[in-house]
Amino acid sequence: MVKNQCLAPWTARVLTLFPEMFPGPLAYSLAGKGLKDGIWALETVDIRDFARDKHRTVDDAPFGGGPGMVLRPDVVSAAIDSLAEKTGGQCDGPVIYLSPRGSLLTQDRVKALAAEKEVVLLCGRFEGVDERVLVEHKVEEISLGDYVLSGGEPAAIALIDACVRLQPGILGSAETLEEESFERGLLEYPHYTRPKVWQDRAAPEVLLSGNHKEIRDWRLKQAEAATKERRDDLWQAYLRKTRLDKRD
Ligand code: 9D3
């Protein structure tokens, strides 16, 4: 079913040297359905279109030496400016550079970005982008985590996916938001489904008991155990919060 949408859906505008990477995985599942239904929109801009020499050069060697190449500020800036022209004036949302030296993307930041009219996502390749273009356009740098990708595109796709699933009208978003709000700071409990016994492993009895209080308690214990084991950062925050909650 195609939903009625307002004239300007949440829009991701992606600046990249590899526009063919989009929509990629975003054409499938929840995001893909939302894209078809007009709940969100995607626009790609090929940074190379803004190179001005006959070889369409976008990068150059870093001043000061060192490995790799750096995206030229004039080329990247022209690409960013081209977006404002299309919408008549300024861009209607934050400009974000996906970068390993950005601040970590969090669900709180995702929620805020999902509430913007649009986000502009600059994807780097090579060593990075000339710093001056980031300052000039007040670009925010965001990283997905402390591991090395080969470029910003997979990170942009992850960021867009996280924002799209929060859009009103995306199937399941209501339930999902409800869950997230009362889960709060713990990893999820483990899940089980039929068959009751599989390869000599029985599903936990309590889940078949129909006792909702016991099920809730068991799931909380499991969530706490997983968090303690796997994520000391979340666990410490949870302990602090639980202690504060108990004071009043
Ligand atoms: C040796 C210096 N490298 C920095 C760790 C240079 C470098 C490697 C890989 C510069 C850029 C990249 C490409 N990565 C991204 O564009 C990227 C990224 C990432 O690598 N990890 C986590 N989040 C992100 S967001 C964009």
Side-chain angles (χ1 to χ4, degrees):
M1 193 205 44
V2 176
K3 292 230 169 67
N4 270 341
Q5 274 301 300
C6 57
L7 289 174
W10 185 87
T11 300
R13 312 178 85 188
V14 182
L15 308 173
T16 171
L17 289 167
F18 297 98
E20 324 77 43
M21 286 194 187
F22 296 84
L26 297 169
Y28 297 87
S29 189
L30 237 65
K33 174 129 196 317
L35 188 55
K36 270 201 197 133
D37 290 355
I39 281 164
W40 70 284
L42 175 69
E43 199 181 307
T44 55
V45 171
D46 189 343
I47 294 170
R48 199 170 295 280
D49 288 346
F50 298 88
R52 290 178 28 209
D53 62 316
K54 73 167 182 192
H55 294 111
R56 305 224 291 159
T57 307
V58 296
D59 60 344
D60 211 327
F63 285 142
M69 300 290 271
V70 178
L71 284 174
R72 290 171 54 112
D74 50 349
V75 175
V76 172
S77 189
I80 294 173
D81 287 340
S82 76
L83 297 173
E85 278 159 29
K86 277 196 212 170
T87 45
Q90 269 287 290
C91 289
D92 246 339
V95 184
I96 292 163
Y97 170 42
L98 285 311
S99 148
R101 62 190 294 268
S103 50
L104 278 187
L105 184 61
T106 62
Q107 187 63 18
D108 281 347
R109 191 70 193 111
V110 166
K111 280 182 193 156
L113 294 175
E116 296 276 357
K117 290 166 74 174
E118 65 173 48
V119 296
V120 176
L121 302 175
L122 171 61
C123 301
R125 286 271 150 179
F126 322 119
E127 285 307 298
V129 178
D130 187 299
E131 185 69 17
R132 292 167 294 182
V133 81
L134 304 179
V135 176
E136 173 70 23
H137 291 275
K138 301 185 170 61
V139 176
E140 172 185 357
E141 283 184 77
I142 292 182
S143 163
L144 284 204
D146 297 335
Y147 40 82
V148 183
L149 302 173
S150 52
E153 289 82 3
I157 287 168
L159 186 154
I160 293 168
D161 181 77
C163 290
V164 163
R165 66 181 281 284
L166 297 181
Q167 296 306 314
I170 289 275
L171 191 81
S173 73
E175 311 136 54
T176 307
L177 289 176
E178 204 177 295
E179 254 176 51
E180 277 167 359
S181 67
F182 78 88
E183 276 252 318
R184 295 226 299 273
L186 287 177
L187 299 181
E188 263 206 279
Y189 53 78
H191 301 283
Y192 297 86
T193 187
R194 281 184 281 274
K196 285 184 184 174
V197 178
W198 177 73
Q199 305 213 338
D200 293 333
R201 297 170 194 275
E205 202 61 50
V206 59
L207 299 180
L208 309 172
S209 70
N211 185 330
H212 298 298
K213 161 98 172 85
E214 272 190 31
I215 291 171
R216 202 164 42 240
D217 291 350
W218 182 87
R219 283 177 167 168
L220 177 60
K221 262 209 240 139
Q222 292 285 317
E224 288 177 342
T227 307
K228 188 174 181 205
E229 168 78 19
R230 300 172 181 185
R231 290 290 301 274
D232 191 59
D233 57 333
L234 295 182
W235 182 241
Q236 294 307 325
Y238 177 74
L239 287 180
R240 278 194 299 278
K241 187 176 167 304
T242 310
R243 254 182 254 133
L244 290 174
D245 283 353
K246 279 184 182 155
R247 281 196 325 194
D248 42 58

